[in-house]
Amino acid sequence: MGAGKTKRMPRAVREQQMLDAAVSVFGRRGYMAASMDEIAELAGVSKPLVYLYLNSKDDLFSACVGREARALTEAVRAGVRPGLPADGQLWSGLRAFFSHTARHPDAWRVLHLHARTHGERFAAEVAAMREEIVAFVTQLIAAAARDAHRDPHLPEGEVAGLAEALVGAAESLADWAGATEGVTAKQAAATLMNFAWAGLGDLMAGRPWSAPEESGAEESGPESDPDPVADPGPVADPGPEADPGPEADSAPVAQAAG
């Protein structure tokens, strides 16, 4: 079918066409259910040509993961506008992320769903992409803190944790937006900004949230002995079978009854 179409097309262009078809099939069907016959047909080439260019199904899938990981990280980096305030930079980066995942839903499923669950080789490629994005967001938050404080008090570990949380939330929200009809990239980015910036904005202004003090909860455990005089309440008749005996301390009862 594709023999007549492949004579004049440069190899690099044809290979990208194969990868486009493979991402579509892998994204919709997953690695195991994807067929090399279907990929070849969608690309408009013969199956032997796919093997000639990309060696094997594993290599084809790896090429898809690598290409789409690079495309996503480049989109996020290109979307951030350094001259803006901290919230503007975060907003522009989130818009770029959600716009890219919305325009390329099959690629996002390949990266976030199928590559992570198919095997260690592919999961490692996606993990490397994610680490790059987290590192970029970490730098963004740290730079924003420096600009806000001049002498920031955010520890390095806390900044890294904030970046991890933000990227994880963006990934989950991208899944939700892709599965929810009518949610645009702008709406998804605004949802995450409303969730995250209320906290990050206070951090940038030097107003971190603090855990409430325990107010002596540790001292009032189950072994503490309340004052029997403070609130004695009614004293029930224990009955003849509940006689504590002459050696029992009856002071509390006496005080309560008195």
Side-chain angles (χ1 to χ4, degrees), residues 5 23 27 65 73 86 116 128 131 133 139 155 166 168 188-189 199 202 215:
K5 298 180 181 179
V23 166
V65 171
T73 54
R116 288 181 166 184
E131 287 175 7
I133 292 178
Q139 293 172 359
L166 187 61
D202 278 347
S215 65

Side-chain angles (χ1 to χ4, degrees), residues 3-258:
K5 298 180 181 179
T6 59
K7 290 181 179 179
R8 295 191 180 94
M9 185 172 290
R11 178 183 177 116
V13 176
R14 176 61 72 188
E15 186 172 314
Q16 292 304 310
Q17 190 172 346
M18 293 179 186
L19 290 176
D20 289 342
V23 166
S24 177
V25 176
F26 284 134
R28 289 183 288 108
R29 301 194 183 281
Y31 178 88
M32 297 303 296
S35 162
M36 294 293 277
D37 289 302
E38 184 178 2
I39 292 170
E41 182 177 359
L42 187 60
V45 301
S46 65
K47 185 165 73 170
L49 190 63
V50 177
Y51 281 109
L52 178 65
Y53 276 32
L54 294 152
N55 303 318
S56 67
K57 186 178 180 180
D58 266 11
D59 288 340
L60 175 59
F61 189 64
S62 180
C64 291
V65 171
R67 188 187 77 164
E68 299 310 325
R70 288 189 299 273
L72 179 56
T73 54
E74 288 169 5
V76 172
R77 286 184 175 277
V80 173
R81 299 169 60 187
L84 295 177
D87 60 337
Q89 291 186 50
L90 181 58
W91 168 248
S92 60
L94 290 176
R95 285 285 302 272
F97 173 81
F98 287 114
S99 294
H100 186 87
T101 55
R103 284 195 303 266
H104 307 281
D106 291 330
W108 176 242
R109 282 191 291 269
V110 165
L111 292 175
H112 194 237
L113 178 61
H114 303 307
R116 288 181 166 184
T117 58
H118 177 60
E120 185 176 347
R121 169 187 175 184
F122 308 114
E125 293 183 50
V126 174
M129 172 208 71
R130 192 178 190 279
E131 287 175 7
E132 183 177 348
I133 292 178
V134 168
F136 178 64
V137 175
T138 300
Q139 293 172 359
L140 181 64
I141 294 175
R146 283 196 301 271
D147 291 344
H149 295 292
R150 304 300 178 188
D151 181 22
H153 300 290
L154 286 177
E156 182 178 341
E158 185 175 354
V159 173
L162 291 169
E164 282 280 357
L166 187 61
V167 171
E171 290 171 338
S172 296
L173 202 59
D175 288 343
W176 170 79
T180 306
E181 186 176 355
V183 176
T184 65
K186 183 177 180 180
Q187 289 170 334
T191 297
L192 189 51
M193 282 295 294
N194 283 323
F195 176 75
W197 190 252
L200 288 174
D202 278 347
L203 280 176
M204 297 302 105
R207 298 189 300 270
W209 178 84
S210 298
E213 295 183 4
E214 297 297 332
S215 65
E218 295 86 355
E219 291 77 22
S220 59
E223 295 182 359
S224 60
D225 186 14
D227 183 3
V229 181
D231 184 17
V235 178
D237 183 1
E241 296 184 0
D243 185 2
E247 298 180 0
D249 183 5
S250 59
V253 176
Q255 295 171 7

